[in-house]
Amino acid sequence: MIKIAIYPGSFDPVTYGHLDIIKRGLQIFDQLTIGVLHNPNKKTLFSTEERMAMLKEVTKDMPAVTVTSFDGLLVNFVRTRQANVIIRGLRAVSDFEYEMQMALMNRKLAENVDTIFLMPAEPYTYLSSSIVKEIVAEGGQATKFVPPQVEEKLRQKFSLTKE
Ligand code: ADP
């Protein structure tokens, strides 16, 4: 039986930290479905379509990766994809409390769905989409944090493209 895992998140935008988790996930699972959360109540810099397009672009050489969006309860999305594993990244102790609450709540909602946590390579432990947005908004370099296509999209958003 093929093993499918779901990697959900906002990915606003995708960073090298997310990609590190995706690559680690692919060593454990046959297929990885990235679920881009579409939540009109959560303000994002990029639209769901833009976030998905960037993820598709940076995973185009990974045939075992599928990018799709979802709304509503994560466990319902997991079920519709015929999966029973959720992957989340753990960067620091600060992520832990929230992630544990989510994992246990999701288990209450769907007993056979498990969450597994993967730790990124050390340089990515302090990396988040929010910090990258701040850096680029202030005119800084994000080359070490996001793929070039993503950095370009960030510059366009903040109208920092070179004339
Ligand atoms: P969410 O809004 O669900 O937290 P994110 O896009 O911020 O969405 O993150 C999605 C998942 O990726 C979460 O499990 C998060 O902990 C993980 N993640 C984000 N950045 C990193 C990183 N630099 N290294 C490892 N995991 C990360």
Side-chain angles (χ1 to χ4, degrees), residues 7-22 35 37 42 51 70 86-92 95 98-99 102 115-121 123-130 145:
Y7 181 33
S10 309
F11 305 100
D12 185 40
V14 57
T15 69
Y16 282 137
H18 295 125
L19 278 171
D20 181 285
I21 298 297
I22 291 167
L37 178 64
K42 200 170 164 182
R51 286 178 280 142
F70 76 101
I86 297 166
I87 290 182
R88 295 286 288 174
L90 261 194
R91 283 161 289 189
D95 280 341
Y98 173 75
E99 291 296 340
M102 293 296 291
T115 307
I116 70 162
F117 296 97
L118 296 176
M119 275 175 280
Y124 305 130
T125 51
Y126 55 84
L127 178 56
S128 68
S129 299
S130 332
F145 312 126

Side-chain angles (χ1 to χ4, degrees), residues 23-122:
K23 286 175 191 156
R24 285 171 202 282
L26 284 175
Q27 289 178 4
I28 307 172
F29 295 94
D30 303 311
Q31 283 179 23
L32 208 66
T33 298
I34 303 176
V36 179
L37 178 64
H38 175 71
N39 179 354
N41 298 320
K42 200 170 164 182
K43 188 99 192 65
T44 53
L45 177 66
F46 293 100
S47 70
T48 307
E49 289 69 31
E50 288 173 319
R51 286 178 280 142
M52 285 175 67
M54 284 184 276
L55 273 161
K56 282 183 183 163
E57 168 75 24
V58 300
T59 59
K60 63 173 190 281
D61 297 330
M62 304 175 198
V65 171
T66 308
V67 179
T68 174
S69 68
F70 76 101
D71 55 17
L73 282 180
L74 173 59
V75 289
N76 290 345
F77 172 63
V78 173
R79 284 197 191 104
T80 60
R81 306 297 303 193
Q82 267 94 49
N84 55 12
V85 176
I86 297 166
I87 290 182
R88 295 286 288 174
L90 261 194
R91 283 161 289 189
V93 181
S94 51
D95 280 341
F96 182 77
E97 210 169 326
Y98 173 75
E99 291 296 340
M100 184 166 127
Q101 182 185 13
M102 293 296 291
L104 293 177
M105 188 50 81
N106 283 330
R107 177 178 288 165
K108 279 254 183 286
L109 297 171
E111 219 194 316
N112 65 336
V113 173
D114 266 300
T115 307
I116 70 162
F117 296 97
L118 296 176
M119 275 175 280
E122 197 272 334

